[in-house]
Each structure stands twice: as structure tokens, then as C-alpha cells.
Amino acid sequence: MFPFALLCGYWLIFLGYTLFNFVEGGPRAVAGWYWHISTEGCWECITKPWSLQTFLLKQLLLAVITALLWFFVRRKVIMQEKLA
């Protein structure tokens, strides 16, 4: 349950900052923020060319993991309720 809660928190922050940057500076500000978070603490990432498509693919992977965790947590809760 904790990994699911952690990923939900990540998504709330991610979507909140995306919306904030879009309102403040449009798509260019959003792309700049995405570059910032994808290269933070990674010296090799700064020296290599950055790709928005690769970044978005990684975010999609995180979204799929979050959805799968939600499914399995919900399924476990339903199974426990049936047994009780």
C-alpha cells in the first residue's frame, strides 16, 4: 500500500507543477521543468541530448505501474472483505 500512496503523491506533485508551469509560462516552461527534473543529480544526463519523448515514455511507465498497484491493492482489499 505504501508504494501506491507514494506514487499517488508523486502524481499529485507532478501534475500540480505541470499545471503551475503551464499557467506561468506555457508549454516552453513545462518542457523546461521536465528537463530540470529529468536531469537533476545526473551529470551524464546533462551532457547527453535530452528527449521529451523519452521523458514522457518514462512518465507513462510510472503511470502504468501506479495503475497496476491500484488494481492489485484494490483486489486485495476486496478479497479480504469477502473472507471477513
Side-chain angles (χ1 to χ4, degrees):
M1 185 90 154
F2 179 71
F4 174 69
L6 192 63
L7 281 171
C8 285
Y10 169 81
W11 282 111
L12 285 173
I13 293 168
F14 179 80
L15 294 173
Y17 269 103
T18 298
L19 181 62
F20 172 78
N21 280 301
F22 185 77
V23 169
E24 290 292 315
R28 181 173 283 231
V30 172
W33 179 68
Y34 287 173
W35 176 84
H36 169 73
I37 64 171
S38 66
T39 59
E40 183 67 28
C42 178
W43 179 252
E44 298 85 29
C45 299
I46 295 172
T47 58
K48 289 190 283 186
W50 183 75
S51 166
L52 180 62
Q53 290 80 12
T54 302
F55 174 78
L56 292 176
L57 186 61
K58 289 178 184 178
Q59 296 307 307
L60 179 64
L61 179 63
L62 281 175
V64 168
I65 290 170
T66 305
L68 287 173
L69 282 171
W70 174 81
F71 174 76
F72 287 115
V73 166
R74 181 159 169 75
R75 185 173 175 199
K76 182 179 178 183
V77 168
I78 291 172
M79 295 290 272
Q80 288 175 347
E81 287 175 355
K82 285 183 180 179
L83 294 176

